[in-house]
Amino acid sequence: MAEMRVNIAGVEWKNPVTTGSGTFGFGREYSDFFDLSELGAICLKALSVKPRQGNPSPRIAETPKGILNSVGLQNPGAEAFLSTELPWLRQFDTKLIANLAGSTIEDYVQVAEMLGDSVDMFELNISCPNVKEGGMAFGTDAKMIENVTSQVKQVSKVPLIVKLSPNVTDIAEMARAAEAGGADAVSLINTLFGMRIDVKTRRPVLRNNMGGLSGPAVKPVAVRMVYQVRQAVKIPIIGMGGITTGEDAVEFMLAGANAVAVGTAGIVDPYAWIRVRNGIEQYLNENNIADVNEIVGAVQMND
Ligand code: SIN
């Protein structure tokens, strides 16, 4: 059997598959379907200092090969997470990644301080397109990325992943800014900013008008960006965007991802994470590859 362990910024995952933040909640619903210890890591729904109600409904719309969401970072807040969700999650033998949300740099710093070393890694959410302050507003400006990363890094007791927005002209520049700010890893892509209009009412389908597109429709954009980021930075990459099968995950790893996140696929198939993990293993075994790390960045580009 092929070696499936990966090391992401000093944290060993038993396999390269994690969950896309926001698509898995805190795992309770999916634990009815499979043992969450099967995952390399669980990346949790965003956490802010105070609870957030999120945006008004409708906040999900179907699109061809994807979904558009404007959830707006709904979450119970860091305190409720620590008292209610974390003790439950600790029964599983997997790594936990807290996704940090905020409207200001001080918010991000405060939530990182509140969580301390209660989880294994942080993922800095500077790429949510669904909030007026924070989120993508930070993640589309290289100077802001470097600044917020370095300030959160100063107080982080666990490795810091920075989640990048695809809604930029030059993704490599954004990744370099995160690395310069002290990021231990980057994850990409968050959702592509989009819109749907109901032709009968002539109104946007989402109450918040616009939202973030995820699912198989975004995969080629995500693979291209992972490849470009791999050329630009040395730190590990967690690749995501439309992964549905083991082969999709292998594509991301060949492009340069050290690990992968599955998100939207789990909404139609609650076993998607297990299928993807098994699919990667099958690819390795069928191709006589001893270690999953061997395929990272192994794409051979045409001249
Ligand atoms: C949301 O809660 O609006 C989605 C999360 C994100 O895009 O980061």
Side-chain angles (χ1 to χ4, degrees), residues 152-169:
V152 176
K153 177 70 185 165
Q154 278 172 38
V155 300
S156 287
K157 295 206 166 89
V158 293
L160 181 65
I161 305 160
V162 174
K163 187 165 187 178
L164 301 176
S165 170
N167 302 301
V168 295
T169 310

Side-chain angles (χ1 to χ4, degrees), residues 8-9 11 90 96-98 100 112 115-123 152-161 182-184:
I8 307 296
V11 180
R90 277 293 172 214
L96 297 179
I97 306 171
L100 313 182
L115 294 173
D117 61 359
S118 63
V119 293
D120 301 289
M121 306 181 90
F122 288 154
E123 180 179 63
V152 176
K153 177 70 185 165
Q154 278 172 38
V155 300
S156 287
K157 295 206 166 89
V158 293
L160 181 65
I161 305 160
D184 298 294

Side-chain angles (χ1 to χ4, degrees), residues 21-22 45-46 54-55 69-74 99 125-131 135 163 190-191 212:
S21 172
K45 178 62 185 162
N55 292 330
N69 92 81
S70 70
V71 171
L73 302 174
Q74 178 185 345
N99 180 284
N125 187 343
I126 49 168
S127 44
C128 174
N130 303 324
V131 286
K163 187 165 187 178
N190 203 324
T191 52

